[in-house]
Amino acid sequence: MASEGEDVYATVLLSDSYLPGALVLAHSLKDAGTSKKIAVLVTTDTVSADAMVQLQTLFDFIIPVERIVNESQANLALMGRLDLHSTFTKIALWKQLQFRRIVYMDADMVALRAPDELFDLPQPFSAAPDIGWPDLFNTGLLVLTPNLGDYYALLAMAQRGISFDGADQGLLNMYFKDNFNRLSFTYNVTPSAHYQYLPAYRHFQSSISAAHFIGQNKPWTQGRDANRGSTPYDEMVGRWWSVYDRHYRESSVESTPQGSSTIVQYHTRGEFQPVAPPITVTPAYQPEESDSEIIHPSAEQPLHETIEIPKEVEEAYVPPVQTNLEAEKRPEPQPEPQPEYRPEPEIIYAPWDASRAPPPADSMPEASNFPATHYDMSSDPTPFKAPERYPDPPKDMYYEVPKTPTYQKPAPIFPWEINAARATRVFPEDNDVGVPEPPSLIDPGPAPADQEIPEDKSAPVTPTTPTIQLTPADPWQTYTRGNAWDDIPEIERYIGSLQKNRKGNIQVLQGYGSGITEVSSPGARRHSMKLTDFPTELERPSLPVTPAPIRRPSFWGEERDEDGELPAAEGVPSQEDWDPAVQLEQLARRQSDVLANKLGKDGAHPREIPLRPLPYGSEGVSSPTYVAQGPPSAATGLGSTPRTTIEEASYNGPGVMWEKDETFPTKETPAGATEEEKDVLET
Ligand SMILES: O=c1ccn([C@@H]2O[C@H](COP(=O)(O)OP(=O)(O)O[C@H]3O[C@H](CO)[C@@H](O)[C@H](O)[C@H]3O)[C@@H](O)[C@H]2O)c(=O)[nH]1
Ligand SMILES: [Mn+2]
């Protein structure tokens, strides 16, 4: 145990990869003749037993500490130093109350002289300026007085990830701010390969106490040949190697009392000389950058050598111990067959355990690892000059419309294409009819499909349907109302079976051919069951509001009168004769009468019923243009007497098609065709 209020140099070892640094630091202090003891804080979960053994040979105190990880590593990523995820562990120094004063030094420092005078500083906390931002102090060398007040305050910040750089330097500078005793830069000289203030270096060279190899590149990761120049940086690196060589170069290894220091060489680039087949060693946790300078020796130097691993290595470590004292009490190592040396694979520290937790909120996105191309603005000052000539545009890049049409009508495939019937519907204006010709229905029989419509209008025009010979007077009279299927017996029969079940007031009309016969009794049309018979204009009820339009021969024809007005439509009353209010009243009255007829069950003698009131607001409305005509027309029932009977309409709509409880075939099952009919069908 440390005696009460002892002074101690201390460093921190968070991983085996910094073992050469920690050992060289301790050696450098001892070699410089310090009177103080040396301690190392180790995180036992990430430092191997082999490394512990090496520490025991040198350090007066090995102090296991809990690793304090910064979970918010965004700032570390910004700095490109994800390997510094656990440097918050440094704050454990303030908890080491067994010591009066601690001069902490990073494991990547080498002492050129022992700065023991720092223990006598009156200030509780001292540090030297940082080379990158000299207002800050570098946390590579700290003179501190352990106390729990600072410890818990720092721990609280660490647990909240409060640090501008994600590591201890950001944390401690935020905590102490300006409340630190500023030491001379000579206590913590951070030589840089990029910025070297050579005259200053030469001037202060002799007073340098310690060099600190900040950044990712450490002397032991670079190899002894990396910095053989004469710059201040190279000189400092040389100082590191001189300490290393004094204690760990192969020639000096045999003399190490605690056995092989192979693990030190293993973590020092270029030092391990394998002779045996390689074994795989899991590489240590490394920062994301592929060009990381943290080089695991196994990557370059496979492990081969057959080396003895002393048995006491396993039992050697009992923390915390004053190892140099206890080592003396240990039994001599037993000479045993030498097992192949297998350096314990470095404990891999994954800051994020994917099996237990979601990714850290501020972790680097994957894309940050992707190669990026950076384009700079051109700094060429010469003005742009257009080339003499640009290449000609390519020729023959346009579609040339063929001169002669290439389209050819495809050859007919289907029978109806070959035997297509010609259109037969002709209107008077389409034909230059000079003299009206008598109507006639001519069917001269089949004609070739491609036959042209003959100039002679009396000639047959269609091979399949009766030709209409148009008469300007009333072309509709002669228009056929028949269909090709009207004469098929099956259809006849089907309609017959339907109508057998029908009763009621169906007005059936027979208007076939030129004559029109009105039949008003049900069933009278049994012999003519054409579904496509529609009432003619004469048969249709004349409704007061929708006069049937009459087709005009031509739209812009000679029938225009002098005013340029279109001729009045036949059957449509002129505007002056049309009083909407009167018509509306008439319609209302008429509807009432029809209703009265039905209710009175006396279609022949309509009952007089009171008029329905007109729609609200339309009473007494009179048209400004309407002038009452003379005697009321019989058809419309217009007159001066408001209450009058209206002639019953000749057609009252389809009416009730099916009476209550009446059955009718839902599925058509016509009687089988008679033999006679079958003969007709089959022919
Ligand atoms: O894998 C690791 C990483 C770090 N350390 C220890 O942590 C210290 C700090 O890491 P280091 O690589 O020396 O950091 P620097 O390159 O020196 O970076 C600067 O930033 C660090 C984080 O703020 C500070 O700890 C340093 O003092 C400061 O000089 C080391 O010296 C070791 O003691 C390990 O033991 N193993
Ligand atoms: Mn450092």
Side-chain angles (χ1 to χ4, degrees), residues 535-543 546 590 649-653:
T536 65
E537 193 192 336
L538 290 172
E539 294 159 350
R540 282 199 295 272
S542 90
L543 297 174
T546 54
R590 181 177 176 137
S650 60
Y651 179 69
N652 285 329

Side-chain angles (χ1 to χ4, degrees), residues 230-275:
S230 57
T231 66
Y233 183 75
D234 295 332
E235 280 183 21
M236 293 293 158
V237 172
R239 297 295 289 266
W240 188 92
W241 279 104
S242 70
V243 178
Y244 175 88
D245 286 347
R246 194 151 56 230
H247 301 280
Y248 296 104
R249 198 161 195 181
E250 265 192 281
S251 55
S252 60
V253 166
E254 283 83 42
S255 62
T256 307
Q258 295 303 311
S260 167
S261 58
T262 308
I263 187 170
V264 184
Q265 291 146 1
Y266 178 86
H267 287 289
T268 307
R269 187 174 188 175
E271 293 303 290
F272 196 72
Q273 299 302 323
V275 291

Side-chain angles (χ1 to χ4, degrees), residues 374-397:
H374 183 82
Y375 296 95
D376 283 316
M377 287 285 284
S378 170
S379 53
D380 185 4
T382 52
F384 172 75
K385 205 162 155 269
E388 294 270 304
R389 187 158 188 280
Y390 285 100
D392 290 329
K395 293 185 176 67
D396 304 330
M397 281 194 66

Side-chain angles (χ1 to χ4, degrees), residues 11-15 17-18 79 81 83-84 87 90 104-108 130 138-141 165 167-170 190 212-216 218 294:
T11 190
V12 166
L13 189 63
L14 307 170
S15 63
S17 57
Y18 275 66
M79 200 165 50
R81 291 298 301 273
D83 57 314
L84 299 179
T87 57
K90 242 188 232 185
Y104 167 81
M105 293 176 82
D106 259 7
D108 57 346
D130 183 78
N138 182 277
T139 53
L141 183 137
D165 66 1
D168 65 277
Q169 185 158 307
T190 48
H212 180 188
F213 304 100
I214 57 168
Q216 272 180 342
K218 309 299 184 192
I294 295 180

Side-chain angles (χ1 to χ4, degrees), residues 166-185:
D168 65 277
Q169 185 158 307
L171 169 73
L172 291 170
N173 272 278
M174 288 175 86
Y175 178 69
F176 286 104
K177 298 197 180 79
D178 291 332
N179 305 320
F180 72 98
N181 174 43
R182 187 184 170 113
L183 296 176
S184 160
F185 184 63

